[in-house]
Amino acid sequence: MKLTRRPVVVSALALIGLGVAGGIAVEAPRLLRRRARTPFDDITDQLPREDVAVTVGKAVLADQHDFGATKTANVLRARSGSLVRMAREDCAHGQMLEAGGWVLPQSLALACAVLADQAGSAG
Amino acid sequence: MRHRILFAGGAVLFWACLLWAGGQTQPDILCGEHRVSGFVDARRLPPGTVLETDILLIGGGPVGISLALALKDSGRSVILLESGGMEFEAATQALYEGPETGTPYLPLNASRMRFLGGSTNHWGGWCRPLDRIDFEARDWLAHSGWPFGRDALEPYYARAQELVEAGPFVYDAAPTRIPVTTLGMGAGGLETVWFQFSKMRGSVLPTHFGERYADELKQISNLTVYTHANATALRLTPDAKHVHRVEVATLSGVKFSVSPKLVVLGAGAVENARLMLASNDVAASGVGNGHDLVGRYFSDHPIPGNNATLVTFGGKLSPFYLGTQSAAGARIRAAFAPTDRFRRAKKVLGALITVDGGAKLDALGQAAVEVVATSLGADARKAHAYTIGCGFEPAPDPERRITLAAERDALGMPRAQLNNTISDDDFARYRATLEEWGRQLLASGAGMLRIHHATRAEWLEGLDWANHHMGTTRMHDDATRGVVDANGLVHGMGNLFIGGSGLFPTYGASNPTMNLVALTLRLADHLKGLKP
């Protein structure tokens, strides 16, 4: 039997199409589930997955009795550089904060707290 | 050299020889020369017997046995009094019982063993020399400072290592001797350190001094070991400067005495203090207690269980962290400890942190690992979590002390009473070490740490102790600050020495046995250098 090129190409394209469609089906809900914009997105957008960051942030808030998102965000903004850079500086200089006993870089913990605070406000 | 046995008359001598011969585990009696060597069951001695000896060792634990071995061929006659026999006897063990106040502690009769070999009969075999900083006087730590540095013990560690049978002296040189990947934590306050383990033979852990050295002791011609012999009083000369007689009793009712030229107390930190305090017929406050120091500064190593969770980002830790491994001719295990530099800088005390086993992370733990690892660019796909154990060093506290209870034991001696303490500062200092470890792990990208306890109540819940009795007869050159001098001689006394971890002014975090054996060997050299 002679194998022609057309069916092979069509099959390959169909498989690729199915893969793309599947990927969209899986990822679309997450991509489309964009939380409401907040005044602190410049900070919180630097965090990884929102749900895990909120989990950490809630634990930070549990020990922060006079927490203010605006004040905290301004403190973080006053430091130049990205959140990653700030976190590394915190580790180098011993600026740590605990969340449920987990020793965390202070800036990262506070950013998580801002996110959790806003999630709580929205919800 | 020999010790003489003085009897009321020849008939007593004759019968005593017969009785002893019957009670010998090794019939090695030379009554004709008035010399006895080997083991003698003191319950078979004629009441009223007075033994004379050059050196009397009270206590057949690691101090007494190490001294007896070291004094072999010293030219001095030596008697060793052991309260028990060759194995556990409940009635003898009950002599340790005593009331306790303050912070809950282990029952006093459960944390020691009262038969030949002493507490080596139940030790775990963990060995590690004290750190250099452990000997230092630190202006931020009240009551700190040994009268000498680690260099003074250094020559004795090798022999101590032999006696505890912990193999070649490797310890922190382990990574240079064996192929091992330690947790790379970068620069910071903690480092990997190494334990070695006592190993009597084959896989038998650890060395029980009584069982291990009994045969050697029996062969020492200038030594007699009296079993079931409890020292009940130190009788002083009227000027309170010398012990001229030691009263001894057996639980069977035999009372006899020893007239020694030198006495060494090696009955453990609690019992040494009890005997000194109870011997108050000449010195009202007790022997060597002119400055009210005997019994004070008692200590042990607190063990806060499951006090932290360690997460390593890069996969499983080396098995050396998780248990003892055979390597470099020894049994060894890795742990984590604050460096001397960090301890000085942050004013914290010693801690030896071990990895106890695997742990499962809760939702917060999983979230924390993901957030931190992702943010810091660490690959945590192979992350592993572990529970963390620790023994840490408390600060010296004069109120943590042994006193005499009103109740008396079966021999008529006042029982020991312990007032135990642990301060919030003790917990805070250890917590500061954990906080630094958490920082260091993050800074290096090696992992992260959760500290489980924050409040005093949390620290106290499940707090265990290591059975490491220390303090009570601390060393110091100044008689107002220590019970004994740098050689273990009781201040103000001419012939009473003390050995053991009761001498430790500060305690370090290392397990005391190997260190107290080294200290004892130093004492042996000092005794051998004294004029007969």
Side-chain angles (χ1 to χ4, degrees), chain B residues 64-89:
Chain B
I65 290 175
S66 300
L67 271 174
L69 293 170
L71 293 170
K72 177 185 176 183
D73 302 327
S74 64
R76 316 288 180 87
S77 60
V78 179
I79 285 177
L80 188 156
L81 301 179
E82 166 51 46
S83 171
M86 289 304 295
E87 54 191 37
F88 180 87
E89 296 166 40

Side-chain angles (χ1 to χ4, degrees), chain B residues 226-434:
Chain B
Y226 290 86
T227 60
H228 300 98
N230 301 278
T232 55
L234 306 172
R235 299 298 181 204
L236 305 187
T237 52
D239 62 2
K241 293 188 181 302
H242 289 81
V243 176
H244 73 90
R245 196 172 80 250
V246 174
E247 307 287 358
V248 189
T250 71
L251 281 171
S252 63
V254 174
K255 293 185 178 179
F256 63 102
S257 62
V258 183
S259 180
K261 291 179 180 170
L262 297 176
V263 181
V264 182
L265 300 182
V270 174
E271 293 300 291
N272 289 344
R274 177 162 79 122
L275 182 59
M276 294 173 77
L277 293 171
S279 302
N280 55 7
D281 55 338
V282 174
S285 59
V287 174
N289 197 30
H291 298 282
D292 189 24
L293 291 172
V294 173
R296 292 189 183 273
Y297 303 95
F298 172 84
S299 195
D300 194 348
H301 292 125
I303 303 176
N306 190 22
N307 62 85
T309 298
L310 166 69
V311 172
T312 54
F313 289 155
K316 291 182 179 176
L317 286 166
S318 161
F320 283 97
Y321 286 102
L322 294 161
T324 62
Q325 307 289 325
S326 291
R331 295 287 293 177
I332 62 176
R333 179 173 179 168
F336 301 99
T339 64
D340 285 8
R341 184 178 178 183
F342 174 73
R343 286 171 60 181
R344 285 190 196 94
K346 298 298 179 184
K347 302 178 180 177
V348 299
L349 301 183
L352 284 163
I353 300 168
T354 51
V355 180
D356 283 352
K360 196 170 182 179
L361 296 179
D362 60 10
L364 174 60
Q366 293 174 23
V369 169
E370 181 171 340
V371 167
V372 167
T374 305
S375 298
L376 295 180
D379 182 356
R381 286 175 296 178
K382 295 179 180 175
H384 268 78
Y386 300 94
T387 58
I388 292 301
C390 171
F392 70 80
E393 176 189 16
D397 179 359
E399 297 309 315
R400 192 167 53 235
R401 65 185 296 201
I402 297 295
T403 55
L404 297 179
E407 185 189 347
R408 291 179 181 266
D409 67 15
L411 296 169
M413 282 187 71
R415 291 194 180 280
Q417 174 166 318
L418 168 66
N419 180 56
N420 190 35
T421 68
I422 187 163
S423 72
D424 291 348
D425 285 345
D426 290 323
F427 292 128
R429 277 186 282 260
Y430 173 54
R431 201 176 199 286
T433 296
L434 290 178

Side-chain angles (χ1 to χ4, degrees), chain A residues 46-49 51-57 59 83-84 87-88 90-96 98-105 108 112, chain B residues 309-311 361-372 374-378 431 434-435 438-440 442-443 448-452:
Chain A
Q46 298 179 63
L47 291 167
R49 280 202 314 160
D51 53 344
V52 295
V54 167
T55 299
V56 173
L83 195 54
V84 170
R88 287 183 176 152
D90 288 345
C91 293
H93 299 120
Q95 299 297 314
M96 315 306 288
E98 288 180 31
W102 287 101
V103 180
L104 304 172
L108 191 59
C112 289
Chain B
T309 298
L310 166 69
V311 172
L361 296 179
D362 60 10
L364 174 60
Q366 293 174 23
V369 169
E370 181 171 340
V371 167
V372 167
T374 305
S375 298
L376 295 180
R431 201 176 199 286
L434 290 178
E435 289 165 3
R439 182 208 67 78
Q440 186 177 352
L442 290 173
M448 57 191 300
L449 192 76
R450 177 180 177 236
I451 305 171
H452 295 183

